[in-house]
Amino acid sequence: MAEVNGAGTRQLTIDGVTVDDAADCYVIAEIGHNHQGEVEQAKQLIAAAKECGVDAVKLQKRANRSLYTQEFYNQPYDNEFSFGRTYGEHREALELSPDEYAELQDYAREVGIAFFATAFDFESADFLGELDVPAFKMASGDLRNTPLLRHVAAFGKPMIISTGGAELSDVERAVDAVLPTNEQLCILQCTAAYPADTDDLNLGVITTLRERYPGLVIGLSDHQNGIAMALVAYMLGARVIEKHFTLNHAAKGTDHAFSLMPEGMRKLVRDLQRVPGALGDGVKRSLPVEEQPIRKMGKKLVAARELDQGHVLTPDDLAIRSPADGGLPPYELDRLVGRRLRRSVAFEDFVTFDDVEPAAEPPVRAQRGPGQGVRGNREVPPADGPTGAGAHAATQP
């Protein structure tokens, strides 16, 4: 079984963009044949994908006559999605010419987005190699096609392989076919259903693949409606996400209905970019943005009534009240109970450890100057000590 050099360091570089565990998720807008064989429609999709913030757009390239058996190519294909009388005519109507591919490649370069395609056969692979695409995508249907996988690997470009309809042994066979020639390899968990039901996604395979291949980037080819499961995949370690893309869910073709519209793709990219910041560093701490809310909804210990100097505190003498703008937090209640007040305390004024002494000791007579009475409840002790509000304050909006 082939091994990956530098195992444990997952890294892939596509058109100058590095993909690894520390990088933003690499998002591919799968246009496929949603352009309906029209160059201008393909350009609109490319421009919209760029506006959504994706990293790459992808088409599908087939040499139809050599790809299909004559019987399959010539079979009738009469349905609401058909672009021809036979399946061959249908596929030819959706195919773009070499010149059109070159035109779209130039356009993608102009708008600033990576452009590549799935190679379904040797002829298409050779054409894409001549076009000098920055990466190759291999469909689930070719996971067992080791001759084609080895052929594409020889181009030395990054390869992204989908694994729909496969066992782990099929994945291992494909990886073993590619790695001796090309280590720039990404494996995508995939369910080959269009659309795929949530219960069929089996996203746990992402973890399985990451453990099996610590040196390879792992991702998800997501055929499920919506964006939530792609975020789950990212949390599991997927760093490449492929989603079908359209400008119209009602357009003619089998893929439009489950493809993301621009609004959905934009939200997917946005949410994937937010995840690392949302994860944080794992250290539990109080944040500056929490200070005001916690002060408002937090609690402090206050006098439940006016208390005289020399009084020994009981639980009934103290109340727990908001806001937490001074004094002691409620968890200090047990340490106050049973202590003697060194000074009088007003109703709802907070009490600190400076105000009390052990009840077993003789009372300390407070030194009062002229006009000095009960301490007012608006005098807030310093917040930088162990009993300060800055350490214990809290509030509910």
Side-chain angles (χ1 to χ4, degrees):
M1 209 166 277
E3 296 297 331
V4 185
N5 290 337
T9 305
R10 310 173 194 274
Q11 191 172 97
L12 196 68
T13 302
I14 303 175
D15 206 22
V17 176
T18 298
V19 184
D20 58 28
D21 282 347
D24 286 339
C25 190
Y26 192 88
V27 181
I28 303 169
E30 163 68 299
I31 293 173
H33 283 107
N34 283 352
H35 52 67
Q36 298 179 320
E38 301 292 335
V39 172
E40 290 307 313
Q41 190 166 325
K43 287 182 178 179
Q44 292 174 22
L45 284 158
I46 292 171
K50 171 62 178 178
E51 194 275 332
C52 291
V54 305
D55 298 281
V57 292
K58 188 185 77 63
L59 305 184
Q60 297 178 6
K61 188 73 182 78
R62 295 172 174 87
N64 293 301
R65 285 200 174 273
S66 62
L67 176 60
Y68 302 110
T69 64
Q70 289 186 11
E71 180 182 6
F72 196 80
Y73 186 92
N74 292 321
Q75 70 176 333
Y77 194 67
D78 184 16
N79 59 64
E80 59 181 314
F81 301 122
S82 176
F83 284 82
R85 295 170 302 170
T86 66
Y87 189 70
E89 287 183 3
H90 165 76
R91 292 251 56 108
E92 298 292 3
L94 296 174
E95 202 64 45
L96 297 172
S97 70
D99 287 344
E100 289 171 328
Y101 259 85
E103 181 179 349
L104 291 176
Q105 183 184 51
D106 290 341
Y107 182 74
R109 188 176 295 116
E110 178 183 327
V111 302
I113 192 169
F115 172 89
F116 53 93
T118 301
F120 279 81
D121 49 77
F122 289 90
E123 182 179 335
S124 297
D126 289 341
F127 164 70
L128 294 172
E130 292 173 4
L131 199 62
D132 197 26
V133 293
F136 284 83
K137 173 70 195 302
M138 307 305 295
S140 294
D142 283 311
L143 186 66
R144 299 176 179 88
N145 190 351
T146 52
L148 180 60
L149 294 177
R150 285 192 290 264
H151 183 77
V152 173
F155 289 108
K157 297 293 183 67
M159 293 178 65
I160 302 170
I161 302 179
S162 283
T163 60
E167 308 289 337
L168 185 58
S169 60
D170 297 313
V171 177
E172 292 173 339
R173 184 190 307 110
V175 171
D176 288 346
V178 171
L179 282 186
T181 305
N182 187 349
E183 293 184 357
Q184 287 280 289
L185 178 60
C186 172
I187 303 296
L188 304 184
Q189 163 59 2
C190 175
T191 300
Y194 308 90
D197 187 79
T198 303
D199 289 342
D200 291 329
L201 294 181
N202 203 3
L203 296 182
V205 172
I206 293 169
T207 301
T208 300
L209 292 173
R210 283 176 58 87
E211 291 173 351
R212 176 63 186 85
Y213 297 110
L216 296 183
V217 173
I218 306 300
L220 174 70
S221 179
D222 185 10
H223 300 140
Q224 183 257 349
N225 291 320
I227 65 175
M229 296 302 103
L231 299 176
V232 175
Y234 181 89
M235 291 295 296
L236 291 170
R239 289 300 178 265
V240 174
I241 299 290
E242 178 188 69
K243 289 286 286 187
H244 283 250
F245 186 56
T246 185
L247 300 179
N248 183 0
H249 278 151
K252 183 177 179 179
T254 56
D255 290 353
H256 293 280
F258 70 88
S259 299
L260 287 183
M261 295 275 285
E263 181 180 2
M265 187 67 81
R266 191 178 302 113
K267 288 180 178 178
L268 172 63
V269 173
R270 177 201 66 189
D271 290 351
L272 285 169
Q273 291 176 346
R274 286 176 172 178
V275 170
L279 286 174
D281 59 10
V283 178
K284 184 60 182 171
R285 63 170 73 85
S286 176
L287 302 175
V289 295
E290 299 176 299
E291 182 176 344
Q292 282 299 107
I294 292 297
R295 180 180 293 268
K296 183 178 178 182
M297 67 182 176
K299 310 292 191 300
K300 63 178 178 288
L301 293 172
V302 299
R305 59 181 177 274
E306 283 198 6
L307 301 172
D308 294 331
Q309 176 186 341
H311 178 74
V312 176
L313 292 173
T314 70
D316 291 339
D317 295 327
L318 298 168
I320 299 172
R321 297 286 186 268
S322 291
D325 56 357
L328 295 173
Y331 65 72
E332 297 287 14
L333 175 63
D334 291 343
R335 295 180 63 196
L336 285 178
V337 170
R339 291 178 178 247
R340 179 186 293 117
L341 286 173
R342 302 178 63 193
R343 65 185 74 184
S344 298
V345 181
F347 170 61
E348 289 194 341
D349 194 7
F350 52 74
V351 182
T352 73
F353 288 119
D354 291 336
D355 300 326
V356 297
E357 62 188 4
E361 297 179 6
V364 175
R365 184 173 299 278
Q367 300 296 319
R368 296 185 182 180
Q372 202 172 15
V374 177
R375 183 166 64 88
N377 64 4
R378 293 186 180 179
E379 294 179 18
V380 180
D384 56 354
T387 62
H392 308 294
T395 46
Q396 171 86 25

